[in-house]
Amino acid sequence: MEKPPSSILILGHGVFGLSTALSLSLRPSFKHTKITLLDRSPFPSPDGSSIDTSRIIRSDYSDPAYAKMGAEAMETWRSSSSSSTQQAGVAKVLAGLGEEGRYTESGLVLVCDKGKQGEEYVRGSFENMIEMGSEKQKVKELKDRREIDKEMGTGGGNGDWGYINTSSGWADAEAGMRFLRKKVEALNRVTFLQGEAVSLLYSPSTSNKKKKIAGVKLSTGQEITSDLTILATGAWTGTLIDLRGRATATGQVLCYLPLTPTEQQSFSRAPVLLNMSTGMFIIPPSPDPSKPSLKIARHGYGYSNPLSLPNPSSPAQKISISTPRTTRDDPTLQVPLEGQLACRAALREMIPSLAERPFTASKICWYTDTPKGEFLITYHPQMEGVFLATGGSGHGYKFLPVIGERVVDVLEGRGKGVEEFGGKWGWPSEVVEDVVTEDGSRGGRPGMVLERELRRKEGTRAETTVIVRRKR
Ligand SMILES: Cc1cc2nc3c(=O)[nH]c(=O)nc-3n(C[C@H](O)[C@H](O)[C@H](O)COP(=O)(O)OP(=O)(O)OC[C@H]3O[C@@H](n4cnc5c(N)ncnc54)[C@H](O)[C@@H]3O)c2cc1C
């Protein structure tokens, strides 16, 4: 970046957009830049991926670069507000992030089914954690299902090999985002606007070779101009620029069930359990009596929701774009039977005493998936004035304290964001036929289409066999 832009418009107040806003507000190079943050929803977005009861916070990655960035983020998740005097920059502003129940270091039991996909990921992650040393990562191998069950303390478990990392845990996702938002507001550098961007705004000086973008057009017809537009629009990004073959929206399943006060207190002491072979996971409940529910979910290939929409780069042409479908669009939307059966089967194994407890709520939450699960943090190579900060691929939330810093590094062309992730987060020069994330951590079936699954009224034989077999 030769000269900082005089104005930056960030689209999206999820974790990517808000943390970028925080870093821009604090970096001296942007002190004269006008920063605007626009979102289609009031904060917190009812259907944003960054808003939920909980998110896993871990540095347990098979890729050392993400493991290292995760460990850095966790220092801030664990920091106390009184430590702010020893901190600087973003870490100082966010000191105390994990307090008041926003982060719980419950431990994480990371497991796989031996010989299946996911094993390589878990073994790689275990090695990385050992390498980081016992000062930072407190890990213990769990050699078989018996050891896993014992560590869980819920009367059940999952997988047949793995480890526990007692230095990992989970965050109250919405509370963490509210904390971040307050900190950004307090700096008084960002103008917050509500409105839905429907297209990018082409500058009159645009050419066919490199289009010049001057801001966005809203659904109201209003135009907002800016020198640089940052797309942090999560799973909706494909409706604003053509991401075919590079990133796609996939719907993931979450089911919630109520707990009695005794169950809540007991299970709140359990670790998070994540099976990288099936993608199934449970996050323990908060001990807060006002939040007596347990979440069970799948980190999977997800559902696509292909719609025929105008190509954002050439609107006369219609293309197929997988686009989030949420309760904001359809208040009756529920997780398809296939997803509920998968959650039910996992629950029976993980916490047998809750095996038949009905789910009282379910939700489809949308990942912005890339082929290898890498984030997409880069200038758009063919559009001047556009930068992407997205591609969370189902693992972006935990980086809340550090992702904005990395985004702004890439924007400025220097720092850790470039040195550690330069080769990973760029605009992929090659496109794939269909984006299916193969980062070694996904469960479920690839290729499921949401509409088709919603129409199914019965489970397949395979699904029901699993349930019947485990019931015995
Ligand atoms: C079910 C589920 C479980 C997950 N579990 C974990 C986990 O355990 N640990 C972890 O680290 N990560 C996890 N993740 C991933 C993490 O939550 C995401 O990577 C991250 O929240 C993505 O943030 P974002 O800012 O890209 O998107 P979002 O939070 O979705 O924000 C995008 C924003 O853009 C706005 N927007 C969209 N289109 C427009 C438009 N046209 N105009 C204006 N505004 C617009 C939306 O309203 C929204 O507020 C999970 C994700 C899901 C869905």
Side-chain angles (χ1 to χ4, degrees):
M1 192 184 67
E2 283 159 20
K3 184 165 123 262
S6 57
S7 56
I8 295 183
L9 171 64
I10 304 169
L11 300 189
H13 57 198
V15 73
F16 279 78
L18 257 186
S19 55
T20 300
L22 176 61
S23 292
L24 286 173
S25 304
L26 293 172
R27 282 232 186 155
S29 16
F30 296 92
K31 68 171 186 255
H32 299 300
T33 301
K34 178 177 182 308
I35 308 162
T36 306
L37 181 49
L38 172 88
D39 201 287
R40 64 180 198 146
S41 291
F43 184 84
S45 291
D47 57 356
S49 307
S50 309
I51 306 298
D52 192 14
T53 51
S54 49
R55 289 283 178 264
I56 303 171
I57 305 296
R58 60 178 164 113
S59 45
D60 305 75
Y61 273 88
S62 63
D63 180 326
Y66 287 98
K68 195 169 159 210
M69 183 166 70
E72 187 186 322
M74 290 185 68
E75 283 173 24
T76 305
W77 279 110
R78 286 190 199 112
S79 66
S80 75
S81 39
S82 57
S83 70
S84 71
T85 45
Q86 296 123 45
Q87 311 283 2
V90 169
K92 183 181 175 77
V93 173
L94 294 182
L97 169 64
E99 290 176 347
E100 296 161 350
R102 287 183 289 268
Y103 171 63
T104 306
E105 203 147 282
S106 59
L108 164 68
V109 171
L110 192 68
V111 299
C112 61
D113 296 339
K114 270 198 240 166
K116 303 255 175 72
Q117 71 166 8
E119 181 173 1
E120 205 181 319
Y121 191 109
V122 181
R123 290 196 185 272
S125 175
F126 184 52
E127 278 160 27
N128 281 335
M129 295 305 103
I130 303 265
E131 205 143 287
M132 279 185 184
S134 56
E135 279 289 296
K136 282 205 159 151
Q137 309 297 336
K138 300 189 175 27
V139 293
K140 184 175 91 184
E141 184 181 355
L142 303 172
K143 295 193 196 76
D144 54 31
R145 179 60 185 273
R146 204 180 40 85
E147 291 193 3
I148 293 168
D149 288 8
K150 192 167 164 228
E151 208 56 67
M152 285 305 298
T154 57
N158 211 239
D160 51 23
W161 185 84
Y163 68 92
I164 180 163
N165 186 347
T166 51
S167 11
S168 299
W170 63 275
D172 178 331
E174 178 173 338
M177 289 298 291
R178 285 185 186 275
F179 183 86
L180 172 62
R181 169 84 176 208
K182 259 199 187 151
K183 297 293 175 183
V184 179
E185 283 174 2
L187 293 170
N188 227 357
R189 286 278 287 113
V190 177
T191 306
F192 294 93
L193 298 177
Q194 193 187 333
E196 180 167 15
V198 286
S199 64
L200 299 178
L201 190 63
Y202 291 92
S203 150
S205 62
T206 204
S207 75
N208 270 346
K209 234 174 160 192
K210 187 148 183 168
K211 294 182 170 129
K212 197 165 177 344
I213 303 303
V216 295
K217 200 169 181 175
L218 304 189
S219 55
T220 54
Q222 188 196 342
E223 293 177 352
I224 303 183
T225 55
S226 64
D227 281 358
L228 181 70
T229 302
I230 300 182
L231 300 183
T233 33
W236 291 267
T237 310
T239 60
L240 292 170
I241 55 162
D242 186 357
L243 286 178
R244 280 175 301 166
R246 295 186 169 96
T248 193
T250 66
Q252 307 288 330
V253 303
L254 300 141
C255 292
Y256 305 85
L257 56 149
L259 299 173
T260 64
T262 316
E263 289 165 345
Q264 183 183 4
Q265 287 315 310
S266 160
F267 297 135
S268 68
R269 291 189 287 272
V272 174
L273 172 60
L274 169 58
N275 184 330
M276 288 301 204
S277 298
T278 62
M280 301 309 302
F281 64 97
I282 42 168
I283 299 188
S286 151
D288 177 348
S290 69
K291 299 173 179 170
S293 88
L294 181 88
K295 168 167 140 183
I296 177 148
R298 183 174 62 200
H299 174 62
Y301 292 107
Y303 309 115
S304 65
N305 183 41
L307 301 182
S308 176
L309 295 171
N311 182 343
S313 308
S314 98
Q317 180 200 24
K318 285 268 178 93
I319 58 170
S320 173
I321 305 173
S322 178
T323 311
R325 177 169 163 189
T326 71
T327 46
R328 187 182 187 269
D329 322 304
D330 170 6
T332 64
L333 186 65
Q334 298 240 338
V335 164
L337 183 65
E338 173 280 332
Q340 298 212 21
L341 289 174
C343 288
R344 177 63 60 200
L347 181 64
R348 285 190 174 123
E349 282 202 30
M350 293 173 172
I351 313 187
S353 62
L354 300 177
E356 306 312 322
R357 176 89 37 97
F359 299 135
T360 43
S362 77
K363 178 163 126 178
I364 303 176
C365 180
W366 293 83
Y367 286 0
T368 320
D369 268 338
T370 63
K372 292 184 186 149
E374 305 287 6
F375 300 160
L376 190 56
I377 298 178
T378 179
Y379 285 98
H380 193 294
Q382 284 108 34
M383 290 185 177
E384 202 182 319
V386 175
F387 188 93
L388 289 106
T390 185
S393 301
H395 65 107
Y397 182 85
K398 66 186 69 64
F399 300 113
L400 181 155
V402 294
I403 197 66
E405 284 295 276
R406 300 300 200 277
V407 169
V408 180
D409 284 351
V410 179
L411 216 130
E412 291 200 90
R414 62 188 165 96
K416 287 187 197 168
V418 177
E419 290 148 19
E420 293 170 9
F421 292 95
K424 291 173 180 282
W425 292 348
W427 182 255
S429 49
E430 285 181 13
V431 291
V432 297
E433 176 85 24
D434 281 311
V435 175
V436 176
T437 302
E438 293 295 2
D439 62 355
S441 75
R442 299 301 177 93
R445 263 186 294 138
M448 285 189 286
V449 177
L450 179 59
E451 188 55 48
R452 212 162 51 209
E453 292 302 328
L454 285 171
R455 277 201 300 263
R456 275 178 52 195
K457 296 282 175 268
E458 284 177 9
T460 61
R461 237 170 99 199
E463 287 158 2
T464 34
T465 313
V466 170
I467 289 183
V468 172
R469 189 159 19 94
R470 292 200 175 128
K471 250 180 166 173
R472 282 198 210 117

